[in-house]
Amino acid sequence: MDDQQMNPDPLAQLCAALNDADVRILHTGDQMAPALNDWRGRFRGAALAVLQPTSTAAVARAVRACAALGLQIVPQGGNTGLCGGATPGNGQTQVVLSLSRLNRVRNVDLMGSALTVEAGCILETVQQVADDAGKLFPLSLAAEGSAQIGGVLATNAGGTAVLKYGAARDLVLGLEVVLADGTVWNGLRSLRKDNTGYDLRHLFIGSEGTLGIITAAVLKMHPKPRAVMACLVALQTPRGALDLLTRITSDLGDRLTAFEVFDAHCMELTTRHHPDLRNPFADQHAWYALVEVSETSHLVPLEHMVESTLGVAIEEGCANDIVLATSEKQRADLWKLRESISESQKREGFTLKHDISVPIAAIPEFLDTAGRELAENCPGIQIGAFGHFGDGNIHFNMRPPATSENAEEREHAIAEVVYRVATALNGSFSAEHGVGQLKTGELERFKSPEEMALFWVMKAALDPQHRLNPGKVLAS
Ligand SMILES: Cc1cc2nc3c(=O)[nH]c(=O)nc-3n(C[C@H](O)[C@H](O)[C@H](O)COP(=O)(O)OP(=O)(O)OC[C@H]3O[C@@H](n4cnc5c(N)ncnc54)[C@H](O)[C@@H]3O)c2cc1C
């Protein structure tokens, strides 16, 4: 049904159809404004209304009411996604369905190390609930104070501890999902083993709201570490980072929790935009690795092992210098340096962002080749590379110099170089940020026709009317 066919006052119709105490309807410009822009300020949309249900049953009723009125639904969590996935299009036929009021903790199962939470729970709250229970929910990212579990799962978010604990997908035992026709699928199982047919939860995780609306999840908790140590290592080259990673993995195994890397430009930017943060080294270095290790047993002498490993790394020449955090405050300060990079790039101004992954051993080659080609094609370009080196994931961000060239064309040409180099190394054009509305073209270009055809089969099976998040992931 298009605009003309709809009732001249579709909002009145929606309000009448959804006369529901459990669904708040926001419809004035001021009320809706925060939901119509993305975090980066890159996308701006319009919507008939923003719906805020407080229960799964209310989500299902809202979905059925929208379906009856021919409205499309854009699920939204904390709205921190980086690909415009939660921003509606420009017409008046879409509503934003915000999960923020569906935010109860339903169950904490200590014996089973499982946590059942609703989609609107803020990631940081979930971490705190696990912590209060003496456990760890390890998924952590710089937007954790705003990102919601539903959004985290819908984007299969990664973050800083993928190396040890995996991405969001690896932390989910069960899901509850409202389907495009309003059916509720209750898959809230906490079983560790269950080989009974297709594993539906993995269809919805990472589907960015295009196949169903996640309303609750059973999450895995892990043992809480008794000791956590972090250090910042100054490096000469990305190859040095690779050598350091090899040394640490060989000596400390899966005690390595995070191996994050950033370049000198990111260090300069972060300390300039956040005067409370400082570079702990007296000298400037080309690269820095933030390394964190943890141990759950009190029988393991972690401190001794870390000091000896780092000593060997210096002897072997893969590390220039090392600052080991000796207090919780120092550890937090080192993390702030890393976690403030995105925000600092935002403050610096418009930044081109590329979230690529390649096999870990190929990172130095990716950085060399892409950096060289960009310097040749776009003299004066300022690259700030950082990211989850231990997962093969680099946020390869940059600011081209001001020019009279068509900005959109140049942005496209730069992305083409980055994605071509990553793909040639068997990499991905989007490691953890997803596709949203930003990268639908790349998906079509870089996925095989067979894979794209399967994607469309899934969409047709679960959302034949394209009611859920149209134009996201799959360009309609
Ligand atoms: C400073 C900063 C740092 C970041 N760091 C990382 C990082 O390290 N790793 C990483 O992976 N990401 C990172 N991100 C991206 C972002 O935080 C994650 O993608 C996060 O998981 C999004 O959660 P959200 O609740 O904000 O989702 P939203 O932005 O609201 O939505 C994201 C997508 O999920 C869909 N969606 C939301 N909720 C639901 C639901 N309940 N059911 C179905 N679909 C839903 C939306 O339609 C949209 O397509 C970062 C973002 C920022 C701003």
Side-chain angles (χ1 to χ4, degrees), residues 15 60 103 107 147 156 172 182 244 338 358 428 456 458:
C15 292
N103 60 1
N107 189 36
N156 186 29
V172 178
L244 179 68
R338 161 64 184 89
V358 291
S428 164
W456 280 109
M458 288 179 206

Side-chain angles (χ1 to χ4, degrees), residues 148-214:
Q148 298 174 7
I149 282 301
V152 164
L153 300 186
T155 56
N156 186 29
T160 50
V162 174
L163 195 56
K164 184 171 170 72
Y165 299 102
R169 185 183 295 291
D170 303 299
L171 297 167
V172 178
L173 294 168
L175 273 192
E176 179 187 79
V177 179
V178 173
L179 304 177
D181 64 357
T183 304
V184 179
W185 170 56
N186 185 340
L188 286 177
R189 293 181 281 262
S190 60
L191 302 174
R192 301 276 163 161
K193 297 180 90 170
D194 179 20
N195 282 347
T196 50
Y198 306 124
D199 198 336
L200 297 178
R201 78 197 134 147
H202 289 301
L203 264 186
F204 298 104
I205 298 170
S207 70
E208 301 185 50
T210 60
L211 300 181
I213 300 168
I214 297 169

Side-chain angles (χ1 to χ4, degrees), residues 198-331:
Y198 306 124
D199 198 336
L200 297 178
R201 78 197 134 147
H202 289 301
L203 264 186
F204 298 104
I205 298 170
S207 70
E208 301 185 50
T210 60
L211 300 181
I213 300 168
I214 297 169
T215 46
V218 185
L219 305 173
K220 276 185 210 167
M221 295 187 288
H222 282 263
K224 190 149 70 173
R226 285 172 193 264
V228 181
M229 294 180 69
C231 62
L232 193 68
V233 183
L235 302 158
Q236 201 84 45
T237 60
R239 199 153 299 278
L242 207 54
D243 294 340
L244 179 68
L245 178 61
T246 309
R247 163 56 52 207
I248 293 177
T249 317
S250 127
D251 286 6
L252 301 175
D254 74 351
R255 292 183 184 87
L256 178 62
T257 317
F259 193 95
E260 301 286 303
V261 159
F262 50 96
D263 66 11
H265 177 66
C266 292
M267 175 66 96
E268 187 279 320
L269 207 62
T270 306
T271 45
R272 178 154 50 82
H273 284 289
H274 294 85
D276 54 318
L277 300 179
R278 58 172 203 90
N279 181 345
F281 297 105
D283 299 318
Q284 304 293 324
H285 298 270
W287 290 88
Y288 302 89
L290 175 56
V291 180
E292 187 164 280
V293 293
S294 62
E295 173 56 55
T296 51
S297 166
H298 64 278
L299 301 173
V300 174
L302 186 68
E303 201 170 325
H304 172 71
M305 290 164 76
V306 169
E307 282 169 5
S308 130
T309 301
L310 294 177
V312 175
I314 293 260
E315 271 168 33
E316 288 176 341
C318 47
N320 281 1
D321 202 355
I322 296 173
V323 169
L324 190 60
T326 53
S327 67
E328 259 312 293
K329 157 108 181 49
Q330 279 180 11
R331 185 168 77 90

